[in-house]
Amino acid sequence: MLGIFGGTFDPVHFGHIKLVLALLEHFDFEQIRFVPCRKPPHKRAICVDAKHRLHMLNMVTHANSKLKVDDRELRRSGPSYMVDTLKEIREESGAACTLVLILGIDAFLNFCTWHKYDAILSICHIMLLRRPGYRLARQGCEHELFKRYSTDKIMAVYESPGGHIFLSNEEEIEISSTAIRRCIAKGKQPRYLLPGNVWDYIRRHDLYHQAAA
């Protein structure tokens, strides 16, 4: 089973890292890929250059063979559409591979605004992660998708290449890249929020000191 975990990772922090390690422990992922986004269609501009975000991700994943950084969106021009990434990975991994897009409930609440969202579940499964303060929609497009495709049987995910939405009990840790950037911009140290080598890299390259957003 191959997991896809997308985001800006601006910067990568313990919330990202502890989450994927918990998923590796509790589910049969052969690999989870961090997919840094080049140009997110739904977010404000990214604060630091792709080369820095990529380097920081490589720093925190290189020691674990089950974690990989996939930089295809950074190499692709234009907006980073997840459906294009998933199509490419599906072609590379084969029709039988169990492919899982890892999403927080907060991201899923806007899923129907994604580019060609209706094609995604024909390519992969979605594993939803709980997040404090967020609940699944009770009406609308996302509600109908969840009602149609959800399963509470993890074996249904393991035994098919895609087509299900599985709500995990794993919960995203409340650490915010935005809060880290604001902390650094104010001249403070984001202690305990990100790995020491990442913090050393940020200081060495003088990143985020102007990034208050």
Side-chain angles (χ1 to χ4, degrees), residues 121-181:
L121 281 162
S122 67
I123 304 169
C124 67
H125 300 292
I126 294 175
M127 179 176 284
L128 292 180
L129 309 171
R130 301 178 188 274
R131 189 164 187 180
Y134 291 91
R135 294 189 299 178
L136 289 167
R138 295 184 178 180
Q139 59 183 2
C141 175
E142 288 83 7
H143 171 76
E144 294 301 322
L145 281 175
F146 185 80
K147 187 167 65 172
R148 179 178 178 184
Y149 292 104
S150 67
T151 179
D152 59 359
K153 309 295 183 185
I154 190 60
M155 291 306 298
V157 174
Y158 292 158
E159 294 174 353
S160 60
H164 293 298
I165 300 174
F166 178 79
L167 179 58
S168 168
N169 285 323
E170 298 303 318
E171 188 172 283
E172 290 190 280
I173 298 170
E174 279 295 283
I175 297 177
S176 161
S177 293
T178 300
I180 291 173
R181 293 193 301 269

CSV table of all heavy atoms in Angstrom, one decimal, residues 121-181:
chain,number,residue,atom,x,y,z
A,121,LEU,N,-11.3,9.4,-6.8
A,121,LEU,CA,-11.6,8.2,-6.2
A,121,LEU,C,-11.6,7.0,-7.2
A,121,LEU,O,-11.7,5.8,-6.8
A,121,LEU,CB,-12.9,8.3,-5.5
A,121,LEU,CG,-12.8,8.9,-4.1
A,121,LEU,CD1,-14.2,9.4,-3.6
A,121,LEU,CD2,-12.2,8.0,-3.1
A,122,SER,N,-11.5,7.3,-8.5
A,122,SER,CA,-11.4,6.3,-9.5
A,122,SER,C,-9.9,5.9,-9.6
A,122,SER,O,-9.6,4.9,-10.2
A,122,SER,CB,-11.9,6.7,-10.8
A,122,SER,OG,-11.1,7.8,-11.4
A,123,ILE,N,-9.0,6.7,-9.0
A,123,ILE,CA,-7.6,6.4,-9.0
A,123,ILE,C,-7.1,5.8,-7.7
A,123,ILE,O,-6.2,5.0,-7.7
A,123,ILE,CB,-6.8,7.7,-9.3
A,123,ILE,CG1,-7.3,8.4,-10.6
A,123,ILE,CG2,-5.3,7.5,-9.4
A,123,ILE,CD1,-6.8,9.8,-10.8
A,124,CYS,N,-7.6,6.3,-6.6
A,124,CYS,CA,-7.1,5.9,-5.3
A,124,CYS,C,-8.1,5.8,-4.2
A,124,CYS,O,-9.3,6.2,-4.5
A,124,CYS,CB,-6.0,6.9,-4.9
A,124,CYS,SG,-6.7,8.5,-4.6
A,125,HIS,N,-7.7,5.4,-3.0
A,125,HIS,CA,-8.6,5.6,-1.8
A,125,HIS,C,-8.2,6.9,-1.2
A,125,HIS,O,-7.2,7.5,-1.5
A,125,HIS,CB,-8.2,4.5,-0.8
A,125,HIS,CG,-8.5,3.1,-1.3
A,125,HIS,ND1,-9.7,2.6,-1.5
A,125,HIS,CD2,-7.6,2.1,-1.5
A,125,HIS,CE1,-9.6,1.3,-1.9
A,125,HIS,NE2,-8.3,1.0,-1.9
A,126,ILE,N,-9.1,7.4,-0.3
A,126,ILE,CA,-8.8,8.5,0.6
A,126,ILE,C,-8.8,8.1,2.0
A,126,ILE,O,-9.8,7.4,2.4
A,126,ILE,CB,-9.8,9.7,0.4
A,126,ILE,CG1,-9.6,10.3,-1.0
A,126,ILE,CG2,-9.6,10.8,1.4
A,126,ILE,CD1,-10.7,11.3,-1.4
A,127,MET,N,-7.7,8.3,2.8
A,127,MET,CA,-7.7,8.1,4.2
A,127,MET,C,-7.9,9.4,4.9
A,127,MET,O,-7.0,10.3,4.7
A,127,MET,CB,-6.4,7.4,4.6
A,127,MET,CG,-6.4,7.1,6.1
A,127,MET,SD,-4.9,6.2,6.7
A,127,MET,CE,-5.4,4.5,6.1
A,128,LEU,N,-8.9,9.6,5.6
A,128,LEU,CA,-9.2,10.9,6.3
A,128,LEU,C,-8.6,10.8,7.7
A,128,LEU,O,-8.8,9.8,8.4
A,128,LEU,CB,-10.7,11.2,6.4
A,128,LEU,CG,-11.4,11.5,5.0
A,128,LEU,CD1,-12.9,11.7,5.3
A,128,LEU,CD2,-10.7,12.7,4.4
A,129,LEU,N,-8.0,11.9,8.2
A,129,LEU,CA,-7.5,12.0,9.5
A,129,LEU,C,-8.3,13.0,10.3
A,129,LEU,O,-8.6,14.1,9.8
A,129,LEU,CB,-6.0,12.5,9.4
A,129,LEU,CG,-5.1,11.7,8.5
A,129,LEU,CD1,-3.8,12.5,8.3
A,129,LEU,CD2,-4.9,10.3,8.9
A,130,ARG,N,-8.6,12.7,11.5
A,130,ARG,CA,-9.3,13.6,12.4
A,130,ARG,C,-8.5,14.8,12.8
A,130,ARG,O,-7.2,14.7,12.8
A,130,ARG,CB,-9.8,12.9,13.6
A,130,ARG,CG,-10.6,11.7,13.3
A,130,ARG,CD,-11.0,10.9,14.6
A,130,ARG,NE,-11.7,9.7,14.3
A,130,ARG,CZ,-13.0,9.5,14.0
A,130,ARG,NH1,-13.8,10.6,14.1
A,130,ARG,NH2,-13.6,8.4,13.7
A,131,ARG,N,-9.1,15.9,13.0
A,131,ARG,CA,-8.4,17.1,13.4
A,131,ARG,C,-9.3,17.9,14.4
A,131,ARG,O,-10.5,18.1,14.2
A,131,ARG,CB,-8.1,18.0,12.2
A,131,ARG,CG,-7.2,19.2,12.6
A,131,ARG,CD,-6.6,19.8,11.4
A,131,ARG,NE,-5.6,20.8,11.7
A,131,ARG,CZ,-4.9,21.5,10.9
A,131,ARG,NH1,-5.1,21.4,9.6
A,131,ARG,NH2,-4.0,22.4,11.3
A,132,PRO,N,-8.7,18.3,15.5
A,132,PRO,CA,-9.5,19.0,16.6
A,132,PRO,C,-10.2,20.2,16.0
A,132,PRO,O,-9.6,21.0,15.2
A,132,PRO,CB,-8.4,19.4,17.6
A,132,PRO,CG,-7.3,18.4,17.4
A,132,PRO,CD,-7.3,18.1,15.9
A,133,GLY,N,-11.5,20.3,16.3
A,133,GLY,CA,-12.3,21.5,15.8
A,133,GLY,C,-13.0,21.3,14.5
A,133,GLY,O,-13.7,22.2,14.0
A,134,TYR,N,-12.7,20.1,13.8
A,134,TYR,CA,-13.3,19.9,12.5
A,134,TYR,C,-14.2,18.6,12.5
A,134,TYR,O,-13.8,17.6,13.2
A,134,TYR,CB,-12.3,19.8,11.4
A,134,TYR,CG,-11.5,21.1,11.2
A,134,TYR,CD1,-10.4,21.4,11.9
A,134,TYR,CD2,-12.0,22.0,10.2
A,134,TYR,CE1,-9.7,22.6,11.6
A,134,TYR,CE2,-11.3,23.2,10.0
A,134,TYR,CZ,-10.2,23.5,10.7
A,134,TYR,OH,-9.5,24.6,10.4
A,135,ARG,N,-15.3,18.7,11.8
A,135,ARG,CA,-16.2,17.5,11.7
A,135,ARG,C,-16.5,17.4,10.2
A,135,ARG,O,-16.5,18.3,9.4
A,135,ARG,CB,-17.4,17.7,12.5
A,135,ARG,CG,-17.2,17.7,14.0
A,135,ARG,CD,-18.5,17.6,14.8
A,135,ARG,NE,-19.4,18.7,14.5
A,135,ARG,CZ,-20.6,18.9,15.0
A,135,ARG,NH1,-21.1,18.0,15.8
A,135,ARG,NH2,-21.3,20.0,14.7
A,136,LEU,N,-16.9,16.2,9.8
A,136,LEU,CA,-17.3,15.9,8.4
A,136,LEU,C,-18.6,16.8,8.1
A,136,LEU,O,-19.4,17.0,9.0
A,136,LEU,CB,-17.6,14.5,8.2
A,136,LEU,CG,-16.4,13.5,8.2
A,136,LEU,CD1,-16.8,12.1,8.3
A,136,LEU,CD2,-15.6,13.7,7.0
A,137,ALA,N,-18.7,17.2,6.9
A,137,ALA,CA,-19.9,17.9,6.4
A,137,ALA,C,-21.1,17.1,6.6
A,137,ALA,O,-21.1,15.9,6.4
A,137,ALA,CB,-19.7,18.3,5.0
A,138,ARG,N,-22.2,17.8,7.0
A,138,ARG,CA,-23.5,17.1,7.1
A,138,ARG,C,-24.4,17.3,5.9
A,138,ARG,O,-25.5,16.7,5.9
A,138,ARG,CB,-24.2,17.6,8.4
A,138,ARG,CG,-23.4,17.2,9.7
A,138,ARG,CD,-24.1,17.7,10.9
A,138,ARG,NE,-23.4,17.3,12.1
A,138,ARG,CZ,-23.9,17.6,13.4
A,138,ARG,NH1,-25.0,18.3,13.5
A,138,ARG,NH2,-23.2,17.2,14.4
A,139,GLN,N,-23.9,18.0,5.0
A,139,GLN,CA,-24.7,18.2,3.7
A,139,GLN,C,-23.8,18.6,2.6
A,139,GLN,O,-22.6,18.9,2.9
A,139,GLN,CB,-25.8,19.2,3.9
A,139,GLN,CG,-25.3,20.6,4.3
A,139,GLN,CD,-26.5,21.5,4.6
A,139,GLN,OE1,-27.6,21.2,4.5
A,139,GLN,NE2,-26.1,22.8,4.9
A,140,GLY,N,-24.3,18.6,1.4
A,140,GLY,CA,-23.5,19.1,0.3
A,140,GLY,C,-22.6,18.0,-0.4
A,140,GLY,O,-22.8,16.8,-0.1
A,141,CYS,N,-21.8,18.4,-1.3
A,141,CYS,CA,-21.0,17.5,-2.1
A,141,CYS,C,-20.1,16.6,-1.3
A,141,CYS,O,-20.1,15.4,-1.6
A,141,CYS,CB,-20.2,18.3,-3.1
A,141,CYS,SG,-19.1,17.4,-4.1
A,142,GLU,N,-19.3,17.1,-0.4
A,142,GLU,CA,-18.4,16.3,0.4
A,142,GLU,C,-19.2,15.3,1.2
A,142,GLU,O,-18.8,14.1,1.4
A,142,GLU,CB,-17.5,17.1,1.3
A,142,GLU,CG,-16.5,17.9,0.5
A,142,GLU,CD,-17.0,19.2,0.0
A,142,GLU,OE1,-18.2,19.6,0.2
A,142,GLU,OE2,-16.2,19.9,-0.8
A,143,HIS,N,-20.3,15.7,1.8
A,143,HIS,CA,-21.2,14.7,2.5
A,143,HIS,C,-21.7,13.6,1.6
A,143,HIS,O,-21.6,12.4,2.1
A,143,HIS,CB,-22.4,15.5,3.1
A,143,HIS,CG,-23.4,14.6,3.7
A,143,HIS,ND1,-23.3,14.0,4.9
A,143,HIS,CD2,-24.6,14.2,3.2
A,143,HIS,CE1,-24.3,13.3,5.2
A,143,HIS,NE2,-25.2,13.4,4.2
A,144,GLU,N,-22.1,13.9,0.4
A,144,GLU,CA,-22.6,12.9,-0.5
A,144,GLU,C,-21.4,11.9,-0.9
A,144,GLU,O,-21.7,10.7,-1.0
A,144,GLU,CB,-23.2,13.5,-1.7
A,144,GLU,CG,-24.5,14.3,-1.4
A,144,GLU,CD,-25.6,13.4,-0.8
A,144,GLU,OE1,-25.7,12.2,-1.2
A,144,GLU,OE2,-26.3,13.9,0.1
A,145,LEU,N,-20.3,12.5,-1.1
A,145,LEU,CA,-19.1,11.6,-1.5
A,145,LEU,C,-18.8,10.7,-0.4
A,145,LEU,O,-18.5,9.5,-0.6
A,145,LEU,CB,-17.9,12.5,-1.8
A,145,LEU,CG,-17.8,13.1,-3.2
A,145,LEU,CD1,-16.6,14.0,-3.3
A,145,LEU,CD2,-17.8,12.1,-4.3
A,146,PHE,N,-18.7,11.2,0.9
A,146,PHE,CA,-18.4,10.3,2.0
A,146,PHE,C,-19.5,9.2,2.2
A,146,PHE,O,-19.1,8.1,2.4
A,146,PHE,CB,-18.3,11.2,3.3
A,146,PHE,CG,-17.9,10.4,4.5
A,146,PHE,CD1,-16.5,10.0,4.6
A,146,PHE,CD2,-18.8,9.9,5.4
A,146,PHE,CE1,-16.1,9.3,5.7
A,146,PHE,CE2,-18.4,9.2,6.5
A,146,PHE,CZ,-17.0,8.8,6.7
A,147,LYS,N,-20.7,9.6,2.1
A,147,LYS,CA,-21.8,8.6,2.2
A,147,LYS,C,-21.7,7.6,1.1
A,147,LYS,O,-22.0,6.4,1.4
A,147,LYS,CB,-23.2,9.4,2.1
A,147,LYS,CG,-24.4,8.5,2.4
A,147,LYS,CD,-25.6,9.3,2.6
A,147,LYS,CE,-26.0,10.0,1.4
A,147,LYS,NZ,-27.4,10.7,1.5
A,148,ARG,N,-21.3,7.9,0.0
A,148,ARG,CA,-21.3,7.0,-1.2
A,148,ARG,C,-20.1,6.0,-1.1
A,148,ARG,O,-20.2,4.8,-1.4
A,148,ARG,CB,-21.3,7.7,-2.5
A,148,ARG,CG,-21.2,6.8,-3.7
A,148,ARG,CD,-21.3,7.6,-5.0
A,148,ARG,NE,-21.1,6.8,-6.2
A,148,ARG,CZ,-21.1,7.2,-7.4
A,148,ARG,NH1,-21.2,8.6,-7.6
A,148,ARG,NH2,-20.9,6.4,-8.4
A,149,TYR,N,-18.9,6.6,-0.7
A,149,TYR,CA,-17.7,5.8,-0.8
A,149,TYR,C,-17.1,5.4,0.5
A,149,TYR,O,-16.1,4.7,0.5
A,149,TYR,CB,-16.6,6.7,-1.6
A,149,TYR,CG,-17.0,6.9,-3.0
A,149,TYR,CD1,-17.4,8.2,-3.4
A,149,TYR,CD2,-16.8,6.0,-4.0
A,149,TYR,CE1,-17.7,8.4,-4.8
A,149,TYR,CE2,-17.1,6.2,-5.3
A,149,TYR,CZ,-17.6,7.4,-5.7
A,149,TYR,OH,-17.9,7.7,-7.0
A,150,SER,N,-17.6,5.8,1.6
A,150,SER,CA,-17.0,5.5,2.9
A,150,SER,C,-17.1,4.0,3.2
A,150,SER,O,-18.0,3.3,2.9
A,150,SER,CB,-17.6,6.3,4.0
A,150,SER,OG,-18.9,5.9,4.3
A,151,THR,N,-16.0,3.5,3.9
A,151,THR,CA,-16.0,2.2,4.5
A,151,THR,C,-15.4,2.2,5.9
A,151,THR,O,-14.5,3.1,6.1
A,151,THR,CB,-15.3,1.2,3.6
A,151,THR,OG1,-15.3,-0.1,4.2
A,151,THR,CG2,-13.8,1.6,3.4
A,152,ASP,N,-15.8,1.4,6.8
A,152,ASP,CA,-15.2,1.3,8.1
A,152,ASP,C,-14.3,0.1,8.2
A,152,ASP,O,-13.8,-0.3,9.3
A,152,ASP,CB,-16.2,1.4,9.2
A,152,ASP,CG,-17.2,0.3,9.2
A,152,ASP,OD1,-17.2,-0.6,8.2
A,152,ASP,OD2,-18.1,0.2,10.1
A,153,LYS,N,-14.1,-0.6,7.1
A,153,LYS,CA,-13.3,-1.8,7.0
A,153,LYS,C,-12.0,-1.5,6.3
A,153,LYS,O,-11.9,-1.3,5.1
A,153,LYS,CB,-14.1,-2.9,6.2
A,153,LYS,CG,-15.5,-3.2,6.7
A,153,LYS,CD,-15.6,-3.7,8.1
A,153,LYS,CE,-17.0,-4.1,8.5
A,153,LYS,NZ,-17.1,-4.5,9.9
A,154,ILE,N,-10.9,-1.6,7.1
A,154,ILE,CA,-9.6,-1.3,6.5
A,154,ILE,C,-9.2,-2.3,5.5
A,154,ILE,O,-8.5,-2.1,4.5
A,154,ILE,CB,-8.5,-1.2,7.6
A,154,ILE,CG1,-7.2,-0.6,7.0
A,154,ILE,CG2,-8.3,-2.5,8.3
A,154,ILE,CD1,-7.3,0.7,6.3
A,155,MET,N,-9.8,-3.6,5.6
A,155,MET,CA,-9.5,-4.6,4.7
A,155,MET,C,-10.0,-4.3,3.3
A,155,MET,O,-9.5,-4.7,2.3
A,155,MET,CB,-10.0,-6.0,5.1
A,155,MET,CG,-9.3,-6.5,6.3
A,155,MET,SD,-7.5,-6.7,6.1
A,155,MET,CE,-7.4,-7.8,4.7
A,156,ALA,N,-11.1,-3.5,3.2
A,156,ALA,CA,-11.6,-3.1,1.9
A,156,ALA,C,-10.6,-2.2,1.2
A,156,ALA,O,-10.6,-2.2,0.0
A,156,ALA,CB,-13.0,-2.4,2.1
A,157,VAL,N,-9.9,-1.4,2.0
A,157,VAL,CA,-8.8,-0.6,1.4
A,157,VAL,C,-7.6,-1.4,1.0
A,157,VAL,O,-7.1,-1.3,-0.1
A,157,VAL,CB,-8.4,0.5,2.5
A,157,VAL,CG1,-7.2,1.3,1.9
A,157,VAL,CG2,-9.5,1.4,2.8
A,158,TYR,N,-7.2,-2.3,1.9
A,158,TYR,CA,-6.1,-3.2,1.5
A,158,TYR,C,-6.3,-4.0,0.3
A,158,TYR,O,-5.3,-4.3,-0.5
A,158,TYR,CB,-5.7,-4.1,2.7
A,158,TYR,CG,-5.2,-3.5,4.0
A,158,TYR,CD1,-5.3,-4.1,5.2
A,158,TYR,CD2,-4.6,-2.2,3.9
A,158,TYR,CE1,-4.9,-3.6,6.3
A,158,TYR,CE2,-4.1,-1.7,5.1
A,158,TYR,CZ,-4.3,-2.3,6.3
A,158,TYR,OH,-3.8,-1.8,7.5
A,159,GLU,N,-7.5,-4.5,0.1
A,159,GLU,CA,-7.8,-5.5,-0.9
A,159,GLU,C,-8.2,-4.9,-2.3
A,159,GLU,O,-8.6,-5.6,-3.2
A,159,GLU,CB,-8.9,-6.4,-0.4
A,159,GLU,CG,-8.4,-7.3,0.8
A,159,GLU,CD,-9.4,-8.1,1.4
A,159,GLU,OE1,-10.6,-8.0,1.0
A,159,GLU,OE2,-9.1,-8.9,2.3
A,160,SER,N,-8.2,-3.6,-2.5
A,160,SER,CA,-8.5,-3.0,-3.7
A,160,SER,C,-7.6,-1.8,-4.0
A,160,SER,O,-7.1,-1.2,-3.1
A,160,SER,CB,-10.0,-2.5,-3.7
A,160,SER,OG,-10.2,-1.6,-2.7
A,161,PRO,N,-7.4,-1.4,-5.3
A,161,PRO,CA,-6.5,-0.3,-5.6
A,161,PRO,C,-7.0,1.1,-5.3
A,161,PRO,O,-6.2,2.0,-5.1
A,161,PRO,CB,-6.3,-0.5,-7.1
A,161,PRO,CG,-7.5,-1.3,-7.6
A,161,PRO,CD,-7.9,-2.2,-6.5
A,162,GLY,N,-8.3,1.2,-5.2
A,162,GLY,CA,-8.9,2.5,-4.9
A,162,GLY,C,-10.4,2.5,-4.8
A,162,GLY,O,-11.0,1.4,-5.0
A,163,GLY,N,-11.0,3.6,-4.6
A,163,GLY,CA,-12.5,3.7,-4.6
A,163,GLY,C,-13.2,3.9,-3.3
A,163,GLY,O,-14.4,3.9,-3.2
A,164,HIS,N,-12.4,3.9,-2.1
A,164,HIS,CA,-13.1,4.0,-0.8
A,164,HIS,C,-12.5,5.2,-0.1
A,164,HIS,O,-11.4,5.7,-0.3
A,164,HIS,CB,-12.7,2.8,0.0
A,164,HIS,CG,-13.4,1.5,-0.4
A,164,HIS,ND1,-14.7,1.3,-0.5
A,164,HIS,CD2,-12.8,0.3,-0.9
A,164,HIS,CE1,-15.0,0.1,-1.0
A,164,HIS,NE2,-13.8,-0.5,-1.2
A,165,ILE,N,-13.4,5.7,0.9
A,165,ILE,CA,-13.0,6.7,1.8
A,165,ILE,C,-13.0,6.1,3.2
A,165,ILE,O,-14.0,5.5,3.6
A,165,ILE,CB,-13.9,7.9,1.8
A,165,ILE,CG1,-13.9,8.6,0.4
A,165,ILE,CG2,-13.5,8.9,2.9
A,165,ILE,CD1,-14.9,9.7,0.3
A,166,PHE,N,-11.8,6.1,3.9
A,166,PHE,CA,-11.7,5.4,5.2
A,166,PHE,C,-11.4,6.5,6.2
A,166,PHE,O,-10.4,7.3,6.1
A,166,PHE,CB,-10.6,4.4,5.2
A,166,PHE,CG,-10.4,3.7,6.5
A,166,PHE,CD1,-11.2,2.7,6.9
A,166,PHE,CD2,-9.3,4.1,7.3
A,166,PHE,CE1,-11.0,2.1,8.2
A,166,PHE,CE2,-9.1,3.5,8.5
A,166,PHE,CZ,-9.9,2.5,8.9
A,167,LEU,N,-12.2,6.6,7.3
A,167,LEU,CA,-12.0,7.6,8.3
A,167,LEU,C,-11.1,6.9,9.4
A,167,LEU,O,-11.6,6.0,10.1
A,167,LEU,CB,-13.3,8.1,8.9
A,167,LEU,CG,-13.2,9.1,10.1
A,167,LEU,CD1,-12.4,10.3,9.7
A,167,LEU,CD2,-14.6,9.4,10.6
A,168,SER,N,-9.9,7.4,9.5
A,168,SER,CA,-8.9,6.8,10.5
A,168,SER,C,-9.2,7.4,11.9
A,168,SER,O,-9.7,8.5,12.0
A,168,SER,CB,-7.5,7.1,10.0
A,168,SER,OG,-6.6,6.8,11.0
A,169,ASN,N,-8.7,6.7,12.9
A,169,ASN,CA,-8.8,7.3,14.2
A,169,ASN,C,-7.5,8.1,14.5
A,169,ASN,O,-7.4,8.7,15.6
A,169,ASN,CB,-8.9,6.1,15.3
A,169,ASN,CG,-10.3,5.6,15.3
A,169,ASN,OD1,-11.2,6.3,15.2
A,169,ASN,ND2,-10.4,4.3,15.5
A,170,GLU,N,-6.5,8.1,13.6
A,170,GLU,CA,-5.4,8.9,13.8
A,170,GLU,C,-5.8,10.4,13.7
A,170,GLU,O,-6.6,10.8,12.9
A,170,GLU,CB,-4.3,8.6,12.7
A,170,GLU,CG,-3.8,7.2,12.8
A,170,GLU,CD,-3.2,6.8,14.1
A,170,GLU,OE1,-2.5,7.6,14.7
A,170,GLU,OE2,-3.5,5.7,14.6
A,171,GLU,N,-5.2,11.2,14.6
A,171,GLU,CA,-5.5,12.6,14.7
A,171,GLU,C,-4.3,13.5,14.3
A,171,GLU,O,-3.2,13.2,14.8
A,171,GLU,CB,-6.1,12.9,16.0
A,171,GLU,CG,-6.6,14.3,16.2
A,171,GLU,CD,-7.3,14.5,17.5
A,171,GLU,OE1,-8.5,14.1,17.7
A,171,GLU,OE2,-6.7,15.2,18.4
A,172,GLU,N,-4.5,14.5,13.5
A,172,GLU,CA,-3.5,15.4,13.2
A,172,GLU,C,-3.1,16.2,14.4
A,172,GLU,O,-4.0,16.6,15.2
A,172,GLU,CB,-3.9,16.3,12.0
A,172,GLU,CG,-4.0,15.7,10.7
A,172,GLU,CD,-4.1,16.7,9.6
A,172,GLU,OE1,-5.3,17.2,9.4
A,172,GLU,OE2,-3.1,17.0,8.9
A,173,ILE,N,-1.8,16.4,14.6
A,173,ILE,CA,-1.3,17.2,15.7
A,173,ILE,C,-1.4,18.6,15.4
A,173,ILE,O,-1.1,19.1,14.3
A,173,ILE,CB,0.1,16.8,16.0
A,173,ILE,CG1,0.2,15.3,16.4
A,173,ILE,CG2,0.7,17.6,17.2
A,173,ILE,CD1,1.6,14.8,16.5
A,174,GLU,N,-1.9,19.4,16.4
A,174,GLU,CA,-2.2,20.8,16.2
A,174,GLU,C,-0.9,21.6,16.2
A,174,GLU,O,-0.6,22.4,17.2
A,174,GLU,CB,-3.1,21.4,17.2
A,174,GLU,CG,-4.6,21.0,16.9
A,174,GLU,CD,-5.0,21.7,15.6
A,174,GLU,OE1,-5.3,22.9,15.6
A,174,GLU,OE2,-5.1,21.1,14.6
A,175,ILE,N,-0.1,21.5,15.1
A,175,ILE,CA,1.1,22.3,14.9
A,175,ILE,C,0.9,23.0,13.6
A,175,ILE,O,0.6,22.3,12.6
A,175,ILE,CB,2.4,21.5,14.9
A,175,ILE,CG1,2.6,20.9,16.3
A,175,ILE,CG2,3.6,22.4,14.6
A,175,ILE,CD1,3.8,20.0,16.4
A,176,SER,N,1.1,24.3,13.5
A,176,SER,CA,0.8,25.0,12.3
A,176,SER,C,2.1,25.6,11.7
A,176,SER,O,2.8,26.2,12.4
A,176,SER,CB,-0.2,26.1,12.6
A,176,SER,OG,-0.2,27.1,11.6
A,177,SER,N,2.3,25.3,10.4
A,177,SER,CA,3.4,26.0,9.7
A,177,SER,C,3.3,27.5,9.8
A,177,SER,O,4.3,28.2,9.9
A,177,SER,CB,3.5,25.5,8.3
A,177,SER,OG,3.8,24.1,8.2
A,178,THR,N,2.0,28.0,9.7
A,178,THR,CA,1.8,29.4,9.7
A,178,THR,C,2.3,30.0,11.1
A,178,THR,O,2.9,31.0,11.1
A,178,THR,CB,0.3,29.8,9.5
A,178,THR,OG1,-0.1,29.3,8.3
A,178,THR,CG2,0.0,31.2,9.6
A,179,ALA,N,1.9,29.3,12.2
A,179,ALA,CA,2.3,29.7,13.5
A,179,ALA,C,3.9,29.7,13.6
A,179,ALA,O,4.5,30.6,14.3
A,179,ALA,CB,1.7,28.9,14.6
A,180,ILE,N,4.5,28.7,13.1
A,180,ILE,CA,6.0,28.6,13.1
A,180,ILE,C,6.6,29.8,12.4
A,180,ILE,O,7.5,30.4,12.8
A,180,ILE,CB,6.4,27.3,12.5
A,180,ILE,CG1,6.1,26.1,13.4
A,180,ILE,CG2,8.0,27.3,12.3
A,180,ILE,CD1,6.3,24.8,12.9
A,181,ARG,N,6.1,30.1,11.2
A,181,ARG,CA,6.6,31.2,10.4
A,181,ARG,C,6.4,32.5,11.2
A,181,ARG,O,7.3,33.4,11.2
A,181,ARG,CB,5.9,31.3,9.0
A,181,ARG,CG,6.2,30.1,8.1
A,181,ARG,CD,5.7,30.4,6.7
A,181,ARG,NE,4.3,30.7,6.6
A,181,ARG,CZ,3.4,29.8,6.4
A,181,ARG,NH1,3.7,28.5,6.2
A,181,ARG,NH2,2.1,30.1,6.2
